[in-house]
Amino acid sequence: MSKNSQDFQIERDVKYGATANNNEDDLEEEEAEVEVVNGDRKILMYKVIAVVSTCITVILLATVIVLGIFYQRAPVCDQGLPFIPNNLEKPEIFDELTVAELETVRDYLISRKDLNLVSFDEATINSSYIYMIDLLLPLKAAVLKNLDRGGRQPVRTAKVVVFRGDLRPPRVEEYHVGPIPRPTYARLVTNPSYTRSRLPFSARPVSVIEYKALYVHLEQASEDLYFLLRDSYNLAFHNCTRGVDCIIFKDTAPRGLKSGDRKTWFWAFRDIEGSALHPLGLEIQINHESMDTSKWHISRILYNGYLFYSVEELMTQYMDNRITKIAIDPVGFKEHLYSSYVKRGKTNAVPSQGPKLVEPNGRRYMVVGNHIKYIDWDFHVHMRSSTGLQIFDVRFQEERIGYEISLQDAVVMYSGFGPSQSSTVHYDTSMLMGRLTFEMVPGVDCPDTAVFLDAHHFVDTSTPRKFKNAICIFENNGGIPLRRHYESDRRGGFKSYGGLVDYHLVVRTIVSIWSYDFIFDYIFHLNGAIEIKVSQTGYIQSTYALPYESTFGYRIHEFVIGTLHQHLFHFKVDLDINGPRNRYATLDTSVITKPSQWYRDVNHTYIGFEKVDRKREQDVIFETGDASKQRFDIIYNNYATSKFGANRAYRIFNLAMSDLLLEDADVANAARWAKYPLAVTQFKDTEEMSTSIYAQNDPWQPVVDFDRFLFNNESIVDEDLVAWVTMGRIHIPHTEDVPSNTITGNQYSFFLLPFNYFTECPSIGSPNAVRIQPALPPDGNKVDTFGTSFESTCVQESVGPFEYNGRWDHVVSDED
């Protein structure tokens, strides 16, 4: 008997009191039953073990498959060529001033007792203090000697703008400070291109120090207007909840009507996302010409189209019901989010990712500090505080094409109802565009593949500021062939196909200024062409809707009119074709009719062109609207020819020419460059900019008058030449500009195109080309990709917008 049977017997005897003489047959039957039960338990246990083992096997197998797919099919793409940060100990010629260099210049100037400077944090408008420190570029000849002939790198020098509020009369002064990093001099200078030897204090940009004093007066006025603000709008400037029921005031410029004025209009908007689309019909002008802030006063107020000369006058007439009152409640207005980026409206789109850039072999461009190399391209980038991004020493296949390509100014001229709208002209360089290049968002503003560079500025501050991700660099696939051709055999087949994708490198920065965002792209193509493109987005400027404002724009919402305006952009293009001694010529087209040499009594009409060398600066001037005189503009070297005898040249091709519509308005005097879609002048180191930071607050008698660049009418034959290019367009806002402009149809471009510069298109050397030749059956076509694979075996690392900061930071050097 088994042990289990014995145990069972003992249990049975105890339970039933059985004795040893029990019937043997009964015991055998019971033992058989026990064995059956135990067998069933074993079978059940085996089944459970089998099921669990199967599940574990399936899970392990699935894990192995998933891991295999991940590691075999989706590795992260390599980074490719390196990105090496700036060497702060040995900055190159075009590198911005380092944080340590900015601090050194600041400390040296403050230590100079003769300047009577105080720190920015302690300054008032009656103090002398540093407003801006920026790099002063060396003379071009010295730079070329260093770059081309191995000469010593020129010493680094700073250009410093100082507000001398302690002098009588007060004035603005500019200093050259050097040598850096151990300065020993601060020379007071006046640029020979300036129209005045002394810079007027009234032309200076408005500093944070002055804004603080201005807002004290606005706060006082808003307290006196509190009843009106609550009664008309259910809003207030104080005693309110930000983002719910607050007002903000935004200033506009110029600040007056003539040179010497300093009277600023502030308009009221609701403090909410997209505030530029929430004007309230209230504008306040403050006269702040005096050096005594206690004498600053409100000189005009505009409310609902009524003009008053004091707060008391407005409130008296308002309380006496002698004017038509505004009665809106934006807090309770259900559609107040029309200006926001909150998703709304009809769409068939579902949440899904769109196409993204992938670099299967990693970056094909190298970034070493501010020095960029991309296939055959080689250049430096620099961020100037006033005008923004500059491109220097541009080379293709080791030959310099240009010394400098840079933005000079972006101007917006408005027309609208009211004293402020009717005279608003924004000169954006005066607002320091470089220090308004805020952080860009990976995956939106620039692709995830982009390399980002930070910028540092010392403007309107006590310490340097760091602007994260102010510049991005990325290679782009244009989604279109750079060149291609299909040749038919005219029998249903083909003779050949050849093509090349339009790969190009983009250097981008975005300037956010007032309500607009301007995207500036410098694009380098494989065929040796450079494209300079401006894309316009952001919010339009708007006014409170009055019945008689239709001349100036359409209603874009219940109480809002979009204001008619013209955009203008000016660029400096210093080309050096086979060296700096160049000429400028136009290829003038015309329609010619003459007797045919092939047929009797038949006239032949055709298009021809004539090369016209322009000898002097004023020979360049031409009208934009004469379509019958289309021409090619070329900068060429008379002593360098192609294999076939043509002069090596680059063409300037402007796709966004626009007349200066307000040419006769004195407020446009500081934008006289806009009269010329193209101007060509003899290079001068002193003519570094076509405008100045003083244009905004004294456009009537500008410190830099571009006409003076041309009026000396110097020779432009075999000289170092500079081309000045203007782009522009009229914008009549419409409802589709809400919430903000889209770049579609709002882009401006000009090109620098090789013109007989190469023997053939240099992109023919690209290994990214494809050539297909037919083969006889049964063989397939012969496809030649010149060693380049079309397979992509990696996924691009995604950065996305989730680590965006959006703030600039005060920074100090490690030495501190």
Side-chain angles (χ1 to χ4, degrees), residues 372 379 381 389 471-473 505-508 520-522 524:
I372 300 168
F379 55 90
V381 298
L389 190 62
I471 302 170
C472 73
I473 303 115
L505 189 76
V506 180
V507 181
R508 172 174 295 168
F520 295 101
D521 287 343
Y522 296 80
F524 300 85

Side-chain angles (χ1 to χ4, degrees), residues 75-80 356-364 449 475 477 503 768 788-796:
V76 175
C77 296
D78 291 336
Q79 291 188 346
K356 290 185 176 183
L357 283 179
V358 176
E359 295 176 327
N361 299 117
R363 284 191 294 267
R364 301 199 297 176
T449 57
E475 186 178 9
N477 179 330
Y503 295 112
N768 291 121
T788 301
S789 172
F790 266 64
E791 292 185 10
S792 180
T793 58
C794 63
V795 295
Q796 194 67 45

Side-chain angles (χ1 to χ4, degrees), residues 86-88 90-102 133-137 156-157 180 369-370 381-385 389-390 392 434 437 453-458 464-467 470-471 811:
N86 275 320
N87 183 348
L88 300 182
K90 291 186 64 177
E92 297 187 8
I93 292 179
F94 301 114
D95 288 353
E96 65 182 26
L97 292 176
T98 66
V99 172
E101 289 174 328
L102 290 168
I133 304 173
D134 207 351
L135 176 70
L136 176 69
L137 283 173
R156 286 167 68 80
T157 308
I180 299 173
N370 286 6
V381 298
H382 173 80
M383 182 67 79
R384 182 161 59 185
S385 294
L389 190 62
Q390 297 174 281
F392 283 107
T437 51
L453 302 180
D454 300 334
H456 296 86
H457 300 285
F458 194 109
R465 291 174 176 174
K466 174 184 174 181
F467 291 75
I471 302 170
V811 291

Side-chain angles (χ1 to χ4, degrees), residues 105-121:
V105 172
R106 175 201 62 193
D107 295 343
Y108 172 74
L109 286 174
I110 291 178
S111 72
R112 288 276 301 263
K113 302 301 181 183
D114 57 316
L115 296 178
N116 196 32
L117 297 178
V118 300
S119 67
F120 188 86
D121 294 332

Side-chain angles (χ1 to χ4, degrees), residues 680-740:
V680 178
T681 64
Q682 193 179 121
F683 173 86
K684 289 185 176 65
D685 285 291
T686 55
E687 293 178 352
E688 58 176 333
M689 290 170 54
S690 62
T691 185
S692 76
I693 64 173
Y694 313 109
Q696 181 67 84
N697 294 329
D698 196 348
W700 310 280
Q701 296 181 25
V703 170
V704 174
D705 182 352
F706 186 74
D707 277 346
R708 289 168 53 126
F709 288 25
L710 301 171
F711 284 173
N712 53 9
N713 203 23
E714 292 179 306
S715 170
I716 52 174
V717 176
D718 294 335
E719 301 285 354
D720 191 355
L721 303 183
V722 177
W724 307 87
V725 182
T726 301
M727 298 191 294
R729 193 168 297 154
I730 287 288
H731 185 188
I732 301 176
H734 45 89
T735 51
E736 290 78 13
D737 288 325
V738 177
S740 64

Side-chain angles (χ1 to χ4, degrees), residues 40 96 195 200 300 308 346 394 414 428 451 510 536 549 638 645 745 755 806 815:
D40 290 341
E96 65 182 26
T195 60
R300 285 176 174 81
F308 305 93
K346 296 179 180 179
V394 181
Y414 288 92
D428 291 346
V451 167
I510 303 179
Q536 165 194 315
E549 287 194 77
N638 193 51
F755 196 82
E815 297 174 3

Side-chain angles (χ1 to χ4, degrees), residues 243-454:
V244 177
D245 62 342
C246 284
I247 283 174
I248 57 173
F249 284 99
K250 300 182 180 183
D251 63 323
T252 188
R255 304 177 194 279
L257 300 175
K258 64 182 186 305
S259 184
D261 281 356
R262 204 163 180 86
K263 302 171 184 176
T264 299
W265 280 101
F266 290 85
W267 357 342
F269 295 85
R270 185 182 177 192
D271 184 12
I272 198 171
E273 182 182 352
S275 60
L277 296 188
H278 293 268
L280 299 175
L282 175 67
E283 303 174 23
I284 299 175
Q285 186 188 58
I286 297 178
N287 183 325
H288 51 117
E289 294 172 352
S290 174
M291 295 301 295
D292 183 352
T293 59
S294 66
K295 295 182 179 179
W296 293 3
H297 60 279
I298 291 173
S299 51
R300 285 176 174 81
I301 301 181
L302 186 74
Y303 170 81
N304 200 23
Y306 297 95
L307 184 64
F308 305 93
Y309 294 91
S310 68
V311 173
E312 293 77 13
E313 182 185 3
L314 168 57
M315 287 305 299
T316 297
Q317 296 203 31
Y318 189 89
M319 300 304 292
D320 291 344
N321 295 315
R322 285 186 278 166
I323 58 175
T324 303
K325 299 179 179 180
I326 295 174
I328 59 175
D329 182 4
V331 177
F333 191 45
K334 293 182 179 179
E335 294 188 25
H336 70 275
L337 289 180
Y338 65 87
S339 63
S340 79
Y341 273 39
V342 173
K343 180 184 176 298
R344 57 190 181 273
K346 296 179 180 179
T347 180
N348 290 324
V350 296
S352 60
Q353 294 191 62
K356 290 185 176 183
L357 283 179
V358 176
E359 295 176 327
N361 299 117
R363 284 191 294 267
R364 301 199 297 176
Y365 57 95
M366 182 167 62
V367 181
V368 181
N370 286 6
H371 186 188
I372 300 168
K373 292 185 177 182
Y374 167 62
I375 305 180
D376 292 325
W377 288 104
D378 186 321
F379 55 90
H380 294 257
V381 298
H382 173 80
M383 182 67 79
R384 182 161 59 185
S385 294
S386 56
T387 61
L389 190 62
Q390 297 174 281
I391 310 293
F392 283 107
D393 193 26
V394 181
R395 302 175 188 235
F396 187 82
Q397 294 181 350
E398 300 182 354
E399 288 190 89
R400 179 178 298 112
I401 293 170
Y403 179 72
E404 177 186 355
I405 307 170
S406 63
L407 176 68
Q408 299 295 292
D409 209 345
V411 171
V412 191
M413 298 184 172
Y414 288 92
S415 296
F417 178 80
S420 59
Q421 279 291 313
S422 61
S423 61
T424 295
V425 178
H426 288 160
Y427 290 89
D428 291 346
T429 287
S430 300
M431 301 181 194
L432 289 301
M433 285 190 286
R435 59 93 179 246
L436 297 175
T437 51
F438 299 103
E439 181 182 359
M440 291 184 282
V441 178
V444 182
D445 295 328
C446 305
D448 285 322
T449 57
V451 167
F452 289 88
L453 302 180
D454 300 334

Side-chain angles (χ1 to χ4, degrees), residues 553-573:
Y554 288 101
R555 286 197 180 219
I556 56 174
H557 210 264
E558 186 70 20
F559 308 105
V560 186
I561 285 181
T563 309
L564 169 71
H565 55 281
Q566 182 179 21
H567 289 278
L568 296 162
F569 303 91
H570 201 224
F571 287 83
K572 180 180 183 179
V573 180

